[in-house]
Amino acid sequence: MKTITENWAQRMVDSVIARRPLLSKGIYQDKWSYDYGVVLKGTELVWRKTGDAKYFDYIKKNMDAFVSEDGNIREYDIEAFNIDHINNGKVLLTLYKETGEQKYKKAIDLLRTQLQYHPRTAEGAFWHKKVYPYQIWLDGLYMGAPFYAEYVKEFGDEDEFDDIVKQFILCVKNTKDEETGLLYHAFDEKRVQPWCHPETGHSENFWGRSMGWFAMALVDTIPLFPDGHQGKQLLQGYLNDILKALMDVQDKDTGVWYQVLNKGDRKGNYLEASASCMILYAIAKGVRLGYLAREWQDVAKTVYRGILTEFITVTKDGYVNLNKVCQVAGLGGPDNRDGTFEYYISEPIITNDLKGVGAFILAAAEIEN
């Protein structure tokens, strides 16, 4: 029987290292892919807890596969203006602070330059990508905001935190459903995308992982703000509000969440691992940092037991598997993804997708803390 007292974070990292000595080799065709950052930030927590240098070495090896001695990033194109490409910068910040190697600082500055010139909506929110113009996606807050905030904390001016707060304010303003408190996956400022409501501009459904990304963005960004900055309290309010909304759609039998959050009774919907792990991470870290009341600690334990029961299996070789992960979901693009319920449940469901694995490591490490 799986218990919450086992070192699941470390066991999952060990499984990842054994299976994928280099994260970029495999199904992603050697891309500068944002999900490496999710796994490696989880690995960082395990490294800090255990002090075992093999975990730091794994982080460094994976980033050194892309960052050259002159600070350029292989497979990265600044002119794509893809907010996803910022996420790994958090890992580079750790490496720079630990090693002092200038190649990491140069790569970090390159990513900061992207944000400096990244196209924005008329209100000032970053576009999700140049190929998705005038659009805000919840995913993008996780990809951009924590790196932006840590860069400002280390190298920037305090007034730049105002722009970071603005990213969250505009996202909530344009995606929040006032009735449920949940956030729609995306918003089109121009209201021309086939997937958006012609009047409100937001997409049709509440996708579990997109709200997971947003919740993680909050708990990773808030602690980087200086004490006394008015935005810090505002973001804590957002965290409490969206977690309360998520509790209203939690599956009470299992303690986890559905792929399409508020439609658990519809045929084809399923309990989804990555969203559940991301929400757990936000709860557990929020409790540890004092952003959530202590009673959320019991909620976190319930969710964790549900994740272990519903999604975790162990192979005969001792490797940990995370099952029932939506491989990918988005809106528009060449496949004309329409954002309907039928679309979200049609995407492949796989085992050990890196986004889910990374979120599990982060959540388990926070619970173990």
Side-chain angles (χ1 to χ4, degrees):
M1 180 179 177
K2 297 184 287 289
T3 68
I4 65 173
T5 57
E6 296 181 58
N7 292 323
W8 287 106
Q10 186 174 359
R11 290 178 66 183
M12 181 61 94
V13 173
D14 289 342
S15 300
V16 172
I17 292 172
R19 287 165 164 153
R20 300 188 68 155
L22 203 60
L23 291 170
S24 54
K25 281 194 173 181
I27 60 172
Y28 296 101
Q29 291 89 43
D30 198 27
K31 294 177 182 176
W32 175 245
S33 186
Y34 64 88
D35 44 9
Y36 308 152
V38 188
V39 173
L40 297 177
K41 288 302 286 185
T43 305
E44 180 183 332
L45 293 184
V46 173
W47 165 59
R48 294 193 186 281
K49 179 183 177 184
T50 63
D52 191 332
K54 78 173 183 180
Y55 299 116
F56 182 81
D57 293 344
Y58 184 70
I59 296 168
K60 192 173 188 302
K61 174 183 178 182
N62 275 281
M63 288 294 96
D64 284 350
F66 289 93
V67 179
S68 64
E69 288 303 318
D70 61 4
N72 284 318
I73 302 170
R74 188 173 57 80
E75 300 297 326
Y76 167 73
D77 176 10
I78 191 171
E79 294 185 0
F81 291 110
N82 182 342
I83 203 77
D84 289 344
H85 289 167
I86 300 296
N87 188 53
N88 294 338
K90 297 178 292 192
V91 183
L92 300 179
L93 280 160
T94 296
L95 290 172
Y96 176 63
K97 285 186 272 190
E98 292 296 326
T99 70
E101 291 185 36
Q102 285 303 305
K103 68 175 185 177
Y104 299 126
K105 179 60 165 59
K106 291 175 182 176
I108 291 161
D109 288 341
L110 179 61
L111 297 175
R112 176 65 183 95
T113 300
Q114 177 185 323
L115 291 182
Q116 183 178 349
Y117 295 104
H118 200 96
R120 297 174 182 241
T121 66
E123 294 179 300
F126 292 129
W127 291 5
H128 191 61
K129 303 179 185 180
K130 188 164 71 173
V131 295
Y132 298 137
Y134 307 101
Q135 297 169 39
I136 305 170
W137 294 20
L138 299 186
D139 322 26
L141 275 294
Y142 178 81
M143 304 303 162
F147 168 81
Y148 191 2
E150 189 171 355
Y151 188 97
V152 171
K153 181 185 177 197
E154 297 294 333
F155 312 112
D157 297 320
E158 192 168 309
D159 59 3
E160 292 178 281
F161 282 106
D162 296 344
D163 187 41
I164 299 166
V165 174
K166 182 167 71 175
Q167 301 304 314
F168 287 95
I169 291 172
L170 293 175
C171 185
V172 171
K173 173 191 172 187
N174 290 300
T175 64
K176 184 177 180 181
D177 174 59
E178 293 300 333
E179 182 178 346
T180 63
L182 297 170
L183 307 182
Y184 292 100
H185 185 179
F187 165 75
D188 171 27
E189 177 185 37
K190 296 295 186 181
R191 294 163 173 79
V192 297
Q193 295 298 322
W195 49 258
C196 83
H197 190 285
E199 294 178 7
T200 65
H202 60 61
S203 56
E204 182 180 338
N205 280 287
F206 307 114
W207 179 40
R209 186 154 75 223
S210 69
M211 282 206 68
W213 288 128
F214 191 81
M216 292 207 302
L218 286 166
V219 293
D220 283 353
T221 303
I222 295 168
L224 297 167
F225 272 71
D227 291 334
H229 193 288
Q230 60 184 6
K232 194 165 191 173
Q233 188 171 1
L234 178 69
L235 297 185
Q236 288 182 45
Y238 285 162
L239 179 65
N240 277 269
D241 289 347
I242 68 164
L243 288 176
K244 288 173 186 172
L246 284 164
M247 291 307 296
D248 289 338
V249 291
Q250 180 192 37
D251 180 61
K252 301 308 178 187
D253 291 335
T254 62
V256 298
W257 282 269
Y258 280 93
Q259 164 77 340
V260 181
L261 288 167
N262 62 332
K263 297 178 179 177
D265 57 346
R266 285 194 59 175
K267 183 179 180 181
N269 207 357
Y270 60 95
L271 299 171
E272 201 277 331
S274 67
S276 301
C277 292
M278 290 175 179
I279 296 165
L280 173 58
Y281 172 69
I283 294 171
K285 186 171 182 178
V287 170
R288 180 173 64 80
L289 295 177
Y291 305 147
L292 301 173
R294 297 302 297 179
E295 53 260 32
W296 282 94
Q297 192 165 30
D298 292 332
V299 174
K301 290 177 181 177
T302 298
V303 175
Y304 194 35
R305 290 189 188 98
I307 287 169
L308 293 176
T309 300
E310 285 295 317
F311 306 127
I312 292 295
T313 55
V314 181
T315 71
K316 61 182 176 57
D317 298 318
Y319 296 154
V320 182
N321 286 335
L322 182 75
N323 305 293
K324 301 183 190 175
V325 185
C326 172
Q327 184 173 21
V328 67
L331 293 160
D335 297 329
N336 296 316
R337 298 168 295 183
D338 62 8
T340 59
F341 172 84
E342 289 73 20
Y343 161 69
Y344 283 109
I345 65 166
S346 73
E347 288 286 11
I349 305 166
I350 67 171
T351 295
N352 295 332
D353 178 85
L354 292 182
K355 297 176 287 293
V357 166
F360 176 79
I361 297 165
L362 288 164
E366 279 294 340
I367 284 284
E368 290 162 11
N369 279 336

